[in-house]
Amino acid sequence: MVWQQVYDPLGNMALSTLLAAVPVVVMLVGLGFLHLKAHIAAAAGLVSALAIAVFAFGMPAEMAGKAAFLGGLTGLLPIGWIVLNIIFLHQLTEENGSFKVLQDSIAGITEDRRLQLLLIAFAFGAFFEGAAGFGTPVAVTAAILIGLGFSPLAASGLSLIANTAPVAYGALGTPVITLAKVHGYDVGEVSAMIGRQLPFFSLMVPFWLIWAFAGWRGMKQIWPAILVTGVSFAIPQFLVSNYMGPELVDVIAAICSMGALVLFLRVWKPAEIWTSVSLKGHETDGGKAQAPVAPAKHDRATVIKAWTPWAILTGFVFLWGLPVTKNYLNSIFAPKFAIDGLHKLIEKIPPVVPKPTAESAEYVLNLLSATGSGILLAAVVGGLVMGYGIPALLKSYGKTLWLVRYSLLTIVLMLALGTLTRYSGLDTTLGLAFAATGMFYPFFGTLMGWLGVALTGSDTASNVLFGGMQKVAAEQLGLSPNLMGAANSSGGVMGKMIDAQSIVVASTATRWFDHEGDILRYVFFHSIALACLVGLLVTLQAYVPPFTLMVIH
């Protein structure tokens, strides 16, 4: 029996919106203010979402349970699978000492902690976002930063802030391609429109990142290096997105940015070397912050050997991200399971969609093509290269699984919550509140994208969720559909740093377990402030010449 979503169950949109927000508020308050363990806060949010979906929004209880179950499966694969295997690789490199050599080699490029942040958190992270996405860049960069001696709060929070501007083109352009495919946008036009919004923030975020770490004075001292990093990323991002397409935007821009910064540091040095490993104003936070020490010198062969596992990882992640690889591996094994009692039995209704539309509910067990499988294979190959035997690899994998057990449980619960809110219509009720803002819609429509990523943990999922609503609202208000479709994705990238699964990935990568609330409280201001700035830019592009000249109709 088909169930149609209800978006105003209380007959008062304001009250219905407040009710729909309860599960998210429960989880965030539990994490950020009540200091609950992450899996307990996620479980509380899920229980409240089940109650509200069933008793207030009228969703059949069996459907609600199955929607949560589907979300839990998605939490294990692909998200949890990535976290588990990247931590496995990191464990291997730590146990045999090669990670210490890698740290020394990075410090050999620059001992300045601010410049290390630009190189690792922003540029190197952007490459992994472009190649794989879905939590990979935060897992990799946070693990490297904690190994370099950054405090856990700095390593976690700054990795999350840095992983913003590249997100819209993550996983070889998946969010943009999905937005176009699902909602009928022209992929070239919407890619170009996003590429006329995000380069402003690709230039801004490196400055913001260093300001968040070292304060205004610390940022001013290295402004030439920050400018080089941002410009060498923003210009390729604009050019590739506008003249090539969305697939290789981040990969090319990240390589340009890394190369430009390394070359620049050969001819320019800061007057003062910044050695603090803690966030300015948070020197007592972060637990196991290490005092920086002068890097040891290693011969070229030792350095190459230490970087080899990470080079292997880079190669495998990029290879696994290619559509031809995914298609081939999926042709071998990728069974698709329709969730009986849920698949095509829930309908979205106007004004969210032009006509009642059935929601699919299928789980694809794409174990071979999942990014986490590429990471696992890279870890095994890297482990063999490092001299591990198969028994030692199996033992280390078991230890890693035990280490991240609660993180995996948290991700499962959070994805269950996010998926339930989607199928029950709770998130759509929240989105409709933004869509009712009239002439202010360019600003609040951008925040709708931010909300979508904060709820789902994915720019791709946010585009699926709200991309159609953005198009309908834009046409009703006489705005460019491409502008608002792009705004959904561009605004969404700033929600990435506060989505629960990203925070859990960061806390796991830094081994700072049970401190997800500390991370959330730190990054929340940065997230909402940057999202509002994106909203202001979109508003200018909607109404104010010459910004309107950037808009593709």
Side-chain angles (χ1 to χ4, degrees):
M1 185 175 179
V2 174
W3 175 71
Q4 290 187 327
Q5 292 180 342
V6 177
Y7 306 126
D8 185 13
L10 302 183
N12 181 304
M13 201 59 197
L15 293 178
S16 295
T17 300
L18 289 174
L19 187 64
V22 166
V24 178
V25 172
V26 166
M27 185 181 68
L28 295 182
V29 169
L31 267 181
F33 298 99
L34 300 181
H35 305 287
L36 299 178
K37 292 182 184 296
H39 60 281
I40 295 175
L46 177 58
V47 169
S48 64
L50 285 166
I52 290 170
V54 173
F55 296 110
F57 281 70
M59 185 181 194
E62 184 179 357
M63 284 186 174
K66 289 181 176 180
F69 175 70
L70 175 60
L73 291 177
T74 307
L76 284 177
L77 182 76
I79 307 301
W81 190 230
I82 290 173
V83 174
L84 173 62
N85 292 316
I86 198 69
I87 298 301
F88 173 49
L89 174 61
H90 185 222
Q91 288 279 98
L92 293 176
T93 60
E94 278 195 329
E95 288 173 7
N96 84 332
S98 66
F99 199 82
K100 178 66 172 65
V101 178
L102 180 143
Q103 296 167 28
D104 292 335
S105 68
I106 294 174
I109 297 173
T110 174
E111 294 182 47
D112 192 292
R113 298 298 184 168
R114 299 164 297 182
L115 299 174
Q116 290 175 0
L117 270 178
L118 291 175
L119 184 62
I120 300 300
F122 182 78
F124 197 43
F127 177 85
F128 277 99
E129 179 63 48
F134 299 104
T136 309
V138 171
V140 173
T141 58
I144 292 176
L145 291 177
I146 199 72
L148 286 170
F150 283 82
S151 74
L153 182 59
S156 302
L158 297 173
S159 292
L160 290 165
I161 293 172
N163 186 44
T164 48
V167 166
Y169 297 104
L172 298 178
T174 297
V176 182
I177 294 168
T178 304
L179 174 66
K181 182 179 179 181
V182 173
H183 296 296
Y185 292 89
D186 181 279
V187 67
E189 290 182 356
V190 77
S191 172
M193 191 64 243
I194 296 170
R196 300 178 188 195
Q197 294 169 346
L198 284 183
F200 292 99
F201 296 91
S202 297
L203 184 59
M204 179 189 299
V205 165
F207 284 95
W208 193 288
L209 178 71
I210 303 305
W211 165 72
F213 174 58
W216 181 256
R217 176 177 170 273
M219 183 194 74
K220 286 197 300 182
Q221 289 176 340
I222 63 162
W223 72 265
I226 303 175
L227 187 64
V228 167
T229 304
V231 168
S232 60
F233 189 93
I235 291 177
Q237 185 182 47
F238 167 76
L239 293 174
V240 177
S241 62
N242 274 262
Y243 300 107
M244 289 179 61
E247 291 85 357
L248 294 176
V249 174
D250 284 346
V251 172
I252 293 173
I255 291 173
C256 291
S257 185
M258 281 188 284
L261 179 58
V262 170
L263 291 174
F264 182 69
L265 292 179
R266 290 187 176 183
V267 298
W268 180 89
K269 304 292 180 187
E272 176 186 335
I273 300 297
W274 192 277
T275 58
S276 173
V277 293
S278 297
L279 295 166
K280 193 171 182 64
H282 294 263
E283 285 80 7
T284 60
D285 293 346
K288 300 178 181 177
Q290 305 166 20
V293 295
K297 300 295 183 183
H298 303 279
D299 60 76
R300 183 184 296 269
T302 303
V303 172
I304 291 175
K305 186 176 180 181
W307 273 99
T308 297
W310 300 94
I312 292 171
L313 173 68
T314 301
F316 271 93
V317 165
F318 183 71
L319 179 65
W320 247 249
L322 295 173
V324 64
T325 304
K326 287 190 177 295
N327 292 337
Y328 174 71
L329 293 173
N330 284 336
S331 71
I332 298 173
F333 180 83
K336 182 183 293 186
F337 303 96
I339 306 301
D340 187 46
L342 187 67
H343 180 58
K344 297 292 186 181
L345 294 180
I346 292 178
E347 283 187 343
K348 284 187 175 296
I349 61 173
V352 179
V353 288
K355 60 181 181 180
T357 304
E359 286 280 276
S360 63
E362 296 176 310
Y363 180 69
V364 181
L365 186 61
N366 57 337
L367 183 62
L368 295 182
S369 66
T371 301
S373 298
I375 296 173
L376 174 59
L377 191 54
V380 171
V381 173
L384 294 173
V385 169
M386 286 185 280
Y388 287 93
I390 298 299
L393 289 175
L394 290 173
K395 181 180 179 181
S396 182
Y397 199 78
K399 288 167 58 180
T400 304
L401 188 58
W402 181 254
L403 178 70
V404 303
R405 64 194 186 282
Y406 286 119
S407 298
L408 295 180
L409 174 61
T410 302
I411 292 170
V412 166
L413 292 170
M414 287 175 173
L415 266 292
L417 169 60
T419 305
L420 175 59
T421 59
R422 172 191 165 193
Y423 282 101
S424 63
L426 269 68
D427 50 12
T428 306
T429 297
L430 295 173
L432 286 170
F434 288 102
T437 52
M439 67 173 292
F440 300 106
Y441 182 69
F443 180 82
F444 287 102
T446 304
L447 292 186
M448 190 195 304
W450 171 81
L451 174 70
V453 176
L455 289 174
T456 65
S458 164
D459 203 46
T460 302
S462 176
N463 286 344
V464 170
L465 185 63
F466 292 140
M469 194 186 306
Q470 297 278 15
K471 196 173 189 179
V472 170
E475 289 170 345
Q476 291 177 345
L477 294 168
L479 299 169
S480 163
N482 285 322
L483 172 66
M484 294 315 304
N488 194 82
S489 204
S490 297
V493 306
M494 301 309 175
K496 187 72 174 173
M497 71 179 87
I498 62 164
D499 86 77
Q501 72 188 42
S502 290
I503 290 173
V504 174
V505 168
S507 68
T508 306
T510 56
R511 313 292 198 279
W512 208 34
F513 302 110
D514 300 328
H515 286 276
E516 291 84 1
D518 297 300
I519 299 171
L520 173 63
R521 285 194 298 274
Y522 172 68
V523 297
F524 191 86
F525 160 76
H526 300 284
S527 177
I528 190 65
L530 284 166
C532 288
L533 289 175
V534 179
L536 289 174
L537 174 63
V538 173
T539 303
L540 291 173
Q541 290 178 325
Y543 299 127
V544 181
F547 291 95
T548 52
L549 298 177
M550 301 178 187
V551 177
I552 297 174
H553 292 276

